Amino acid sequence: MGPITGATMEVSSTFDNMTGLTHDRPVQTSSFCQQFSSVDGAGNYDVVNNVVIPTPGAPDPRAQNSLRQSWEMNYQEAAIYLQEGENNDKFFTHPRNAHALSAYLFAHNHLFYVMELLTAVLLMLLSLSEAPAVPFLRLDVYVHATLELLALVMVAFELCMKLRWLGFHTFIRHKRTMVKTCVLFIQFIEAIVVLVRQTSHLRVTRALRPIFLVDCRYCGAVRRNLRQIFQSLPPFIDILLLLLFFMVIFAILGFCLFSANSADPYFSTLENSIVSLFVLLTTANFPDVMMPAYSKNRWSCIFFIVYLSIELYFIMNLLLAVVFDTFNGVEKMKFKSLLLHKRSAIEHAFQLLVSRQRPDGVCLKQFDGLMRFYRPRMTPQDRFLTFKALNHSGATMLSLQDFYKFYEVIGLKWKARRSGEHWFDDLPRTAFLIFKGINLLVKSKAFQYAMYLVVAINGIWILVETNMLNGSSSLLTVGVSWTRVVPWSYIIFLTIYGIEVLLKITGLGPLTYFSSGWNLFDFSVTVFAFLGLIALAFDMEPFYFIVVLRPLQLLRLFKIKQRYRNVLDTMFELFPRMASLGLTLIIFYYSFAIVGMEFFADVVYPNCCNTSTVAQSYRQINVTIGNRTMLEEGYYYLNNFNNILSSFVTLFELTVVNNWYITMEGVTSQTTHWSRLYFMTFYIVTMVRDCVCWLCMCIK
Amino acid sequence: MGPITGATMEVSSTFDNMTGLTHDRPVQTSSFCQQFSSVDGAGNYDVVNNVVIPTPGAPDPRAQNSLRQSWEMNYQEAAIYLQEGENNDKFFTHPRNAHALSAYLFAHNHLFYVMELLTAVLLMLLSLSEAPAVPFLRLDVYVHATLELLALVMVAFELCMKLRWLGFHTFIRHKRTMVKTCVLFIQFIEAIVVLVRQTSHLRVTRALRPIFLVDCRYCGAVRRNLRQIFQSLPPFIDILLLLLFFMVIFAILGFCLFSANSADPYFSTLENSIVSLFVLLTTANFPDVMMPAYSKNRWSCIFFIVYLSIELYFIMNLLLAVVFDTFNGVEKMKFKSLLLHKRSAIEHAFQLLVSRQRPDGVCLKQFDGLMRFYRPRMTPQDRFLTFKALNHSGATMLSLQDFYKFYEVIGLKWKARRSGEHWFDDLPRTAFLIFKGINLLVKSKAFQYAMYLVVAINGIWILVETNMLNGSSSLLTVGVSWTRVVPWSYIIFLTIYGIEVLLKITGLGPLTYFSSGWNLFDFSVTVFAFLGLIALAFDMEPFYFIVVLRPLQLLRLFKIKQRYRNVLDTMFELFPRMASLGLTLIIFYYSFAIVGMEFFADVVYPNCCNTSTVAQSYRQINVTIGNRTMLEEGYYYLNNFNNILSSFVTLFELTVVNNWYITMEGVTSQTTHWSRLYFMTFYIVTMVRDCVCWLCMCIK
């Protein structure tokens, strides 16, 4: 531990050397300390004393005290500026006085954030138990309405804190907060109405609940995604209109050409014609929509080929290209403005940290004070190292130029260099040699390739084994036996993997071993497999699925090739971005699910839609073909909006697009033609989202 | 015409001034003129005479003559170098001697190119008439085999010319030509076998015919596309393997989980399981493949959602990102190497154009000689202007630095500045005033917006009118009447459009009017509409479709907004690129169509596939539901490979992806399981193509 102690000592000694300017007054006084300055009259007080510890005979202890408080206020405000710069919060929401500061501090800590998040999640989860509820989660009206009121009161409390921090004038100007307040107000009234009437009315406004989630501090990435989506909208809508325009033209043409054919239900009326071509835009009804016309006249396929070529392969590509351009421009602008915002935050903080005597630099004392507020958990040693890293010029103070690098340097982690190379270096000689041997073994190419070979054999084994199961007589028994009876080969392979994991852990040391994502993957897959075996031994039903995960072992094979390692690393890198996109998706789903449930709950059931063109998909009957009778089941009645979980599955199916029109037509035949608007809107939203999602991936 | 004459005069006078160096010898002698130099012994001859026209008493008319020929050869070779640079032909195919030159010249003119193209197209079109022929184009075996032999002889002749030009050694090294030769050889033998046996055998090699088309000079863009596709393949294949690997893992999992359910045909065997998940990758069977499992246990949807999320939304995006990177890199490299190739071509040409006395510059005489070979149709005046445009330094000669800009400057067009502003400026006063009035009218905003209003009203009119047709009793009559009886409103609108076109033409003058793409569009739509009316008046059946095109008039509306004008201009710009991509697509289609026809011709027909899971789509029977009997027609038997036109339609349907598995399963149930390989390969090829197509659009 030698070097670390040395560093600490150096820190403290330098600290003493560099704190000479402590008693100088700051150039700019924090807006928070106006009350102090008025009380103490310290506004026109000049300190000339330069010693470190206030000696007896210092001019005035009260002034000294007030000066220290004034500096502390400055540190805090500078830290707040830097936080605002980091989080891209606009400066007009900066707290203006001491009251605002306390509200600001209350509203800016993780406890508050977690409360905010939990309230929002609770509100969203309530949909599981409300009116068209998931069967096993159904709650009485007064229970869920009371829960909702409770959550809304929490939100109201959070908003009050925000009002106190921002002041009424800024509060009104902050758009997101105002929207949130309005939604809160409506929800409040509705919740009370529900509680009074003891029954849910048509509550489409529940679709607005995700706003509370989006506003959470932790959902910054989601807000960013939403902003990107909204910024890409104008060019998107323009091209969409072009797309729809061509669609209508072709619908008129199609109606003229094909409505004479009585066997063609797709073009029988102008409305059908438009709907058919909209669905064709998504390719979901493709060869079918062409078939009646095609069977009558082979050349009619030209109509469809031209339509698809123009719409799908030309305008859609154009749409992507145009949105790509806009998006690229917006991203560049955003990057620039973000950088400028950060610089301006740094400048604000710098002004608060410089003293009257040396107005062009921040010394260590001030920097240390700042960091105590900005990163309370940072050790003094790390604070010193950060200061040193910023201090390029080598002078005792940080210039503004040095300080501009603040956000880059603050991300660095400081680690004491370890003296030994292996974890077993300090062990006795015999043990050292053994571990050294293991270390060399697991690091050798031969060991690696031997393991790849084992995995490959395992893969082939699994394929062959599964294929042989095909031959068994009763599929039902096979399905059961596969998860219950463990083949001996599986135990052998698992033992080999277990030994590999143990060897690697002992050879590399646990710290080095677990610092690699691949090793973590190996480890968890192997441990899960062992857990599965144990679960099997004790006959614990719900853990069977772990045994089923055994083919995941094969994923190790992808370590062989460099490109796959890169690709999978990229996958891990992209994961946070994908997660935030997924969350954005869920928010969209949620809103649409609520609307869907309010309007379409319980409208589809087996044999419900015999009058529609998609009757077959909802049919559940005995059909006689020739002299055979069989049960034909079109399972589409399962794609319904009966509760929020079913709605999510249905919306996922609509996202995948294929056959989405069957769900649409089924619901439409049971409700009104206007229902189609819901499904078409959802498709267009999906399109926007996909488009933006793709661009996010590509541009980074 | 004043300035033009002036320019011509200036040209001729400068010409005389600058040709002083004509009788100097070139530094480097063209490789073509070795025979002349050996005959005339001009290799060591030094000319000192500096006059323009050989005066009596010039040293040696024979040497003079040989010198001129030597220069001419140099001009020609320099022009060939520049052409090679322009077309990105490698220099190792550069003609080496006079024999090669004559073959080169024979093989590099538009007549030869057209012959090449026609032969290739003829060979491809033969598939229309061969064995599974389009009914009305069927030819006897000896006819189409003779035609094929004829075309192949033509190709062989072209190859002979190439052999003569390249020389045997280079010919062997040129990969594309060698492949072409091999294919030609095989096709030759097969054609003879067909002619002898008087019946077609299994001729899968016909799928190679597009090679002849790809090799044509005019199909350079297609070759470029194919090269891009092949260069994007390695990263593509890597990620594809990852995709397929996950697919197999999930197939094993799915088999274990769902094979116990006897109502679930999708996972009954491991093979079915893999096929189902491959189709699911294309989303073509989406909610259906989930439904039997979902109806048994609602949580089983998690399996499908996870699978689709990983495969479709994660790995597919990753694939695009990786291919995007590779593609971008390749494009940049290509751009660089193309630039270097052009520079090197210019250097070669420069070396051939400089004379011994002034080895660092090209004077007008030499440049003029070069241009006579490089652009034979260019006027002397344009040649002079090009020289002047290149000559930045203002000296009498072009330095190499000037000459490097050759390809940029050669693309410029020279036009004499017109004195008058309007075409009617020279007319008498009264006519001038009338036309000036019309000119002001058609250029006014009011006129434009009035026209937009008319178009908008027309649009609404058409919609309302079409919608009112819905109400009529017999659809059949309506369909007919719509194309036969012209409503009076249509004639009124058409008259307005006609007047607009006439006003614009007279007001702007035909030249200005037709130079705008939008005006051309207006004009052709209006003219076609009039032609349609005339056709209607004379009751000419096949022209009815022109009347049906009337809604296209509405496209004018898109001129209103700037973005649409830009977008549609982009559409026109992208058109050549899209056309070449389309041609590439057709080449792929062709090869797949031939293979499909050879193996799957006449295998599907109504009620053919009752044993398969997609029986319903091929069924054509009376079904009894309750007490109603109705004809249910699954039209999929129409998607067959019975002739090349049907094959193209079927392949287009496979490209659109939706429900492609129905075609696959139908064919598979009538042939072997290996047929699936054909369809799956086609899907993957489509994927590559789509991917590259997209990238081409985006990167430009």
Side-chain angles (χ1 to χ4, degrees), chain B residues 252-269:
Chain B
I252 294 173
L253 281 187
F255 174 69
C256 299
L257 292 171
F258 306 128
S259 62
N261 181 357
S262 61
D264 192 341
Y266 298 100
F267 294 94
S268 56
T269 67

Side-chain angles (χ1 to χ4, degrees), chain B residues 55-156:
Chain B
T55 50
D60 184 357
R62 261 185 70 215
Q64 192 79 11
N65 196 28
S66 117
L67 182 64
R68 194 178 302 130
Q69 279 184 335
S70 158
W71 269 118
E72 290 292 308
M73 283 292 147
N74 273 22
Y75 299 154
Q76 184 155 30
E77 187 163 13
I80 288 174
Y81 269 121
L82 289 176
Q83 265 160 15
E84 283 168 340
E86 194 176 14
N87 301 331
N88 198 18
D89 290 330
K90 297 284 157 284
F91 294 129
F92 79 88
T93 64
H94 187 80
R96 294 272 164 252
N97 54 46
H99 287 296
L101 175 69
S102 61
Y104 178 90
L105 290 179
F106 184 83
H108 284 79
N109 66 67
H110 288 283
L111 205 73
F112 188 84
Y113 299 156
V114 168
M115 191 183 78
E116 216 179 357
L117 186 71
L118 286 182
T119 320
V121 169
L122 172 67
L123 265 176
M124 284 182 72
L125 287 182
L126 274 180
S127 315
L128 287 168
S129 321
E130 282 169 348
V134 180
F136 57 88
L137 289 174
R138 193 187 309 280
L139 290 178
D140 276 335
V141 172
Y142 66 92
V143 178
H144 71 67
T146 312
L147 271 174
E148 191 183 350
L149 262 182
L150 208 76
L152 289 176
V153 167
M154 292 280 279
V155 175

Side-chain angles (χ1 to χ4, degrees), chain A residues 238 291 320 563-564 658 694, chain B residues 238 320 563-564 658 694:
Chain A
D238 283 343
M291 282 306 153
L320 273 175
R563 196 195 300 271
Y564 288 120
N658 195 62
W694 201 101
Chain B
D238 283 343
L320 273 176
R563 195 195 300 273
Y564 288 119
N658 195 61
W694 202 100

Side-chain angles (χ1 to χ4, degrees), chain A residues 37 65 71 80 99 105 110 156 159 203 259 283 291 299 309 346 350-351 370 372 386 420 422 432 518 630 676-677 680:
Chain A
S37 44
N65 196 30
W71 269 117
I80 288 173
H99 288 294
L105 290 179
H110 288 283
L159 272 178
R203 285 192 63 191
S259 63
T283 76
M291 282 306 153
W299 295 108
S309 304
I346 286 174
F350 188 78
Q351 283 310 314
L370 165 74
R372 265 184 289 122
T386 309
H422 306 298
F432 175 80
W518 278 105
M630 49 188 270
R676 283 184 182 135
L677 222 58
M680 289 180 173

Side-chain angles (χ1 to χ4, degrees), chain B residues 1 41 115 163 199 238 282 292 294 399 446 581 592 633 648 658 671:
Chain B
M1 296 298 278
M115 191 183 78
L163 177 61
T199 168
D238 283 343
T282 70
Y294 187 54
S399 67
L581 283 171
F592 272 93
E633 195 161 24
F648 266 71
N658 195 61
T671 54

